[in-house]
């Protein structure tokens, strides 16, 4: 059989980190703690009640869930948002795809910064958008001048930046973000604004004094802040991502979203999980402290460490990164070798898992 596969998809393999069954898995930035037994009970009860009505389609617009997400963002970032400024989908992966379906696609450019999240290139491939990147500075901060040049010459319809950035852990400075938000007015196709998407998948892990982009929404209608339940909230298996933006942006997403994209079970489970926001946020402090401990341990072992505002640490630099990754795996510890060359990323685990990692990396030559 010869399939009419799109030319740009030929020879591509499915994207994804290796899912290996090893004792210590620190490779995909999950929260290492399972939900509390009370959260599990509440989710089970909510899902059970919803199951009784599964003959009906879910609320297409997920209004109750969006109201709960707005409440959560107020609790987490002290930014007040209305439910019509929040949008949810199956993981922030789907949120991003919807953004590109609405604002990018064939003949349009999406701009990012390298190194960054490798999925962004995949979203562009899937939606037929052109993906280009500006190199970050040596310390992985944003090169604002280079970005300004790229914006002026390429007129991107979407700018996609993760803050804290994956894989480097680098947060975008607010002064830089303000400059970016100015340079992206009327810089898109036909003089439209460029939609600036700040991916705060790791936002909750930011260090004290680092602001979320959420509080800039009110003055910058072309800003989108994306979040997820997959990381800090410890619910990667739930597949629930969301964003905050101007209602006009969400209206555009509602045109491209599939009707009933978010199942009634996901909406119910998400709302039940959000009922435990206070305890989840308390647990994040444990992970932030462990992150700082990992940074110190790696530094004292002689590795170069990129300061992290996330729940992972990016460290190097060695010409044997692949070898080091394998050595750790042989020792029962799975981390991530993402590039750029010479660097490795380790997710923050439980204190016991982090001890295992520190012990294993201690046996490796820097
Ligand atoms: C993990 C991650 C996400 C989360 O994706 P989900 O689809 O919500 O699980 C989003 N952005 C970045 C940069 C990530 O690393």
């Amino acid at each position: 059989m010869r399939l009419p596969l799109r030319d740009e998809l030929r020879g591509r393999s499915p994207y994804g980190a290796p899912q290996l069954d090893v004792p210590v898995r620190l490779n995909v930035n999950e929260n290492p703690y399972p939900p509390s037994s009370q959260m599990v009970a509440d989710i089970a009860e909510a899902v059970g009640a919803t199951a009784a009505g599964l003959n009906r389609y879910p609320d297409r617009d997920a209004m109750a869930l969006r109201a709960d997400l707005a409440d959560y963002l107020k609790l987490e970032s002290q930014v007040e948002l209305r439910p019509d400024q929040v949008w949810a989908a199956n993981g922030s992966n789907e949120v991003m795809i919807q953004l590109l379906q609405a604002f990018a696609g064939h003949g349009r450019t999406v701009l990012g910064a390298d190194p960054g999240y490798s999925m962004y290139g995949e979203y562009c491939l899937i939606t037929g958008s052109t993906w280009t990147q500006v190199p970050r500075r040596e310390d992985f901060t944003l090169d604002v001048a280079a970005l300004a040049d790229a914006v002026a010459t390429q007129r991107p319809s979407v700018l996609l930046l993760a803050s804290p950035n994956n894989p480097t852990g680098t947060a975008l400075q607010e002064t830089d973000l303000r400059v970016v938000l100015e340079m992206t007015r009327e810089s898109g196709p036909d003089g439209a604004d460029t939609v600036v998407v700040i991916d705060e998948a790791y936002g909750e892990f930011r260090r004290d004094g680092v602001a979320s982009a959420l509080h800039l929404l009110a003055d910058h209608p072309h800003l989108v802040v994306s979040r997820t339940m997959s990381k800090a909230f410890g619910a990667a298996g739930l597949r629930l991502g969301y964003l905050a933006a101007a209602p006009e942006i969400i209206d555009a997403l509602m045109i491209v979203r599939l009707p009933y994209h978010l199942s009634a079970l996901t909406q119910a489970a998400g709302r039940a999980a959000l009922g435990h926001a206070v305890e989840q946020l308390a647990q994040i402090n444990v992970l932030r402290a462990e992150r700082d401990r990992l940074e110190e341990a790696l530094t004292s072992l002689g590795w170069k460490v990129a300061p992290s505002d996330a729940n992972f640490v990016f460290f190097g630099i060695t010409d044997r990164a692949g070898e080091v990754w394998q050595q750790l795996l042989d020792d029962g510890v799975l981390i991530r070798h993402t590039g750029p060359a010479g660097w490795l990323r380790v997710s923050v685990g439980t204190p016991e898992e982090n001890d295992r990692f520190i012990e294993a990396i201690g046996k490796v030559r820097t």
Side-chain angles (χ1 to χ4, degrees), residues 97-166:
I97 289 281
Q98 291 175 341
L99 282 164
L100 298 196
Q101 285 176 324
F103 300 114
H106 289 279
R108 292 183 164 209
T109 298
V110 179
L111 186 62
D114 182 47
Y117 187 36
S118 50
M119 277 303 293
Y120 295 162
E122 307 289 317
Y123 305 147
C124 289
L125 177 73
I126 293 165
T127 58
S129 320
T130 302
W131 172 233
T132 57
Q133 293 184 91
V134 166
R136 287 175 179 268
R137 293 206 196 90
E138 193 139 2
D139 64 357
F140 304 129
T141 57
L142 193 64
D143 187 337
V144 179
L147 190 76
D149 277 349
V151 166
T153 54
Q154 303 186 32
R155 307 202 70 87
S157 56
V158 178
L159 173 62
L160 206 46
L161 297 170
S163 176
N165 184 43
N166 183 6

Side-chain angles (χ1 to χ4, degrees), residues 142-204:
L142 193 64
D143 187 337
V144 179
L147 190 76
D149 277 349
V151 166
T153 54
Q154 303 186 32
R155 307 202 70 87
S157 56
V158 178
L159 173 62
L160 206 46
L161 297 170
S163 176
N165 184 43
N166 183 6
T168 64
T170 321
L172 186 54
Q173 297 304 309
E174 181 170 323
T175 45
D176 286 348
L177 178 54
R178 285 183 181 276
V179 175
V180 168
L181 287 167
E182 290 313 314
M183 71 169 77
T184 44
R185 290 187 200 268
E186 302 181 7
S187 62
D190 302 322
D193 292 339
T194 298
V195 175
V196 177
V197 182
I198 303 300
D199 179 354
E200 292 193 348
Y202 303 98
E204 289 99 328

Side-chain angles (χ1 to χ4, degrees), residues 29 91-93 117 120 162 166 199 201-202 228 230-231 239-241:
N29 302 339
S92 47
N93 280 251
Y117 187 36
Y120 295 162
N166 183 6
D199 179 354
Y202 303 98
T228 180
S230 296
K231 305 287 161 58
R239 307 306 304 132
L240 188 57

Side-chain angles (χ1 to χ4, degrees), residues 43-89:
I43 290 173
E45 194 189 322
V47 167
T50 304
L54 281 183
N55 54 315
R56 301 293 181 190
Y57 281 108
D59 174 7
R60 249 190 327 246
D61 299 338
M63 284 317 299
L65 172 63
R66 289 161 66 193
D68 288 357
L69 287 167
D71 288 345
Y72 171 71
L73 291 177
K74 173 139 193 269
L75 177 72
E76 198 274 331
S77 292
Q78 293 79 50
V79 175
E80 195 125 16
L81 296 161
R82 296 185 314 271
D84 70 348
Q85 293 173 287
V86 177
W87 177 247

